PDB file of all heavy atoms in Angstrom:
ATOM      1  N   GLN L1271     -17.959  29.108  17.297  1.00  0.00           N
ATOM      2  CA  GLN L1271     -17.600  30.346  18.005  1.00  0.00           C
ATOM      3  C   GLN L1271     -18.225  31.526  17.287  1.00  0.00           C
ATOM      4  O   GLN L1271     -17.981  31.726  16.090  1.00  0.00           O
ATOM      5  CB  GLN L1271     -16.071  30.518  18.051  1.00  0.00           C
ATOM      6  CG  GLN L1271     -15.609  31.828  18.678  1.00  0.00           C
ATOM      7  CD  GLN L1271     -15.884  31.887  20.184  1.00  0.00           C
ATOM      8  OE1 GLN L1271     -15.279  31.152  20.952  1.00  0.00           O
ATOM      9  NE2 GLN L1271     -16.804  32.743  20.593  1.00  0.00           N
ATOM     10  N   ASP L1272     -18.998  32.288  18.042  1.00  0.00           N
ATOM     11  CA  ASP L1272     -19.597  33.499  17.484  1.00  0.00           C
ATOM     12  C   ASP L1272     -18.648  34.665  17.748  1.00  0.00           C
ATOM     13  O   ASP L1272     -18.192  34.852  18.870  1.00  0.00           O
ATOM     14  CB  ASP L1272     -20.948  33.735  18.169  1.00  0.00           C
ATOM     15  CG  ASP L1272     -21.598  35.031  17.722  1.00  0.00           C
ATOM     16  OD1 ASP L1272     -21.249  35.524  16.632  1.00  0.00           O
ATOM     17  OD2 ASP L1272     -22.460  35.537  18.471  1.00  0.00           O
ATOM     18  N   SER L1273     -18.345  35.461  16.722  1.00  0.00           N
ATOM     19  CA  SER L1273     -17.395  36.568  16.929  1.00  0.00           C
ATOM     20  C   SER L1273     -18.084  37.930  17.010  1.00  0.00           C
ATOM     21  O   SER L1273     -17.458  38.911  17.363  1.00  0.00           O
ATOM     22  CB  SER L1273     -16.358  36.594  15.797  1.00  0.00           C
ATOM     23  OG  SER L1273     -16.955  37.044  14.593  1.00  0.00           O
ATOM     24  N   ASN L1274     -19.366  37.999  16.663  1.00  0.00           N
ATOM     25  CA  ASN L1274     -19.996  39.333  16.624  1.00  0.00           C
ATOM     26  C   ASN L1274     -21.283  39.461  17.425  1.00  0.00           C
ATOM     27  O   ASN L1274     -22.044  40.410  17.252  1.00  0.00           O
ATOM     28  CB  ASN L1274     -20.246  39.745  15.167  1.00  0.00           C
ATOM     29  CG  ASN L1274     -21.224  38.807  14.473  1.00  0.00           C
ATOM     30  OD1 ASN L1274     -21.626  37.788  15.047  1.00  0.00           O
ATOM     31  ND2 ASN L1274     -21.620  39.146  13.268  1.00  0.00           N
ATOM     32  N   GLY L1275     -21.555  38.485  18.277  1.00  0.00           N
ATOM     33  CA  GLY L1275     -22.681  38.634  19.209  1.00  0.00           C
ATOM     34  C   GLY L1275     -24.062  38.426  18.625  1.00  0.00           C
ATOM     35  O   GLY L1275     -25.055  38.709  19.293  1.00  0.00           O
ATOM     36  N   ASP L1276     -24.150  37.894  17.394  1.00  0.00           N
ATOM     37  CA  ASP L1276     -25.500  37.645  16.868  1.00  0.00           C
ATOM     38  C   ASP L1276     -26.009  36.251  17.240  1.00  0.00           C
ATOM     39  O   ASP L1276     -27.086  35.837  16.805  1.00  0.00           O
ATOM     40  CB  ASP L1276     -25.552  37.854  15.345  1.00  0.00           C
ATOM     41  CG  ASP L1276     -24.720  36.825  14.586  1.00  0.00           C
ATOM     42  OD1 ASP L1276     -24.013  36.017  15.235  1.00  0.00           O
ATOM     43  OD2 ASP L1276     -24.763  36.824  13.338  1.00  0.00           O
ATOM     44  N   GLY L1277     -25.219  35.528  18.034  1.00  0.00           N
ATOM     45  CA  GLY L1277     -25.678  34.222  18.515  1.00  0.00           C
ATOM     46  C   GLY L1277     -25.409  33.078  17.558  1.00  0.00           C
ATOM     47  O   GLY L1277     -25.769  31.933  17.830  1.00  0.00           O
ATOM     48  N   ILE L1278     -24.751  33.388  16.436  1.00  0.00           N
ATOM     49  CA  ILE L1278     -24.472  32.367  15.425  1.00  0.00           C
ATOM     50  C   ILE L1278     -22.962  32.287  15.207  1.00  0.00           C
ATOM     51  O   ILE L1278     -22.312  33.307  14.957  1.00  0.00           O
ATOM     52  CB  ILE L1278     -25.185  32.732  14.096  1.00  0.00           C
ATOM     53  CG1 ILE L1278     -26.703  32.736  14.318  1.00  0.00           C
ATOM     54  CG2 ILE L1278     -24.792  31.778  12.972  1.00  0.00           C
ATOM     55  CD1 ILE L1278     -27.495  33.264  13.150  1.00  0.00           C
ATOM     56  N   GLY L1279     -22.435  31.099  15.305  1.00  0.00           N
ATOM     57  CA  GLY L1279     -21.010  30.915  15.064  1.00  0.00           C
ATOM     58  C   GLY L1279     -20.653  31.399  13.668  1.00  0.00           C
ATOM     59  O   GLY L1279     -21.502  31.443  12.784  1.00  0.00           O
ATOM     60  N   ASP L1280     -19.398  31.781  13.449  1.00  0.00           N
ATOM     61  CA  ASP L1280     -19.015  32.338  12.155  1.00  0.00           C
ATOM     62  C   ASP L1280     -17.547  32.050  11.844  1.00  0.00           C
ATOM     63  O   ASP L1280     -16.826  31.486  12.679  1.00  0.00           O
ATOM     64  CB  ASP L1280     -19.310  33.851  12.119  1.00  0.00           C
ATOM     65  CG  ASP L1280     -18.869  34.532  13.398  1.00  0.00           C
ATOM     66  OD1 ASP L1280     -17.687  34.353  13.776  1.00  0.00           O
ATOM     67  OD2 ASP L1280     -19.700  35.207  14.051  1.00  0.00           O
ATOM     68  N   GLU L1325     -24.503  35.129   7.383  1.00  0.00           N
ATOM     69  CA  GLU L1325     -24.343  34.987   8.848  1.00  0.00           C
ATOM     70  C   GLU L1325     -22.940  34.496   9.226  1.00  0.00           C
ATOM     71  O   GLU L1325     -22.473  34.723  10.336  1.00  0.00           O
ATOM     72  CB  GLU L1325     -25.346  33.954   9.368  1.00  0.00           C
ATOM     73  CG  GLU L1325     -26.785  34.388   9.283  1.00  0.00           C
ATOM     74  CD  GLU L1325     -27.744  33.228   9.506  1.00  0.00           C
ATOM     75  OE1 GLU L1325     -27.408  32.071   9.173  1.00  0.00           O
ATOM     76  OE2 GLU L1325     -28.849  33.493  10.006  1.00  0.00           O
TER      77      GLU L1325
HETATM   78 CA1   CA J2250     -21.860  35.522  14.433  1.00  0.00          CA
END
Side-chain angles (χ1 to χ4, degrees):
Q1271 176 69 68
D1272 176 22
S1273 72
N1274 63 354
D1276 66 354
I1278 297 172
D1280 44 53
E1325 292 167 330

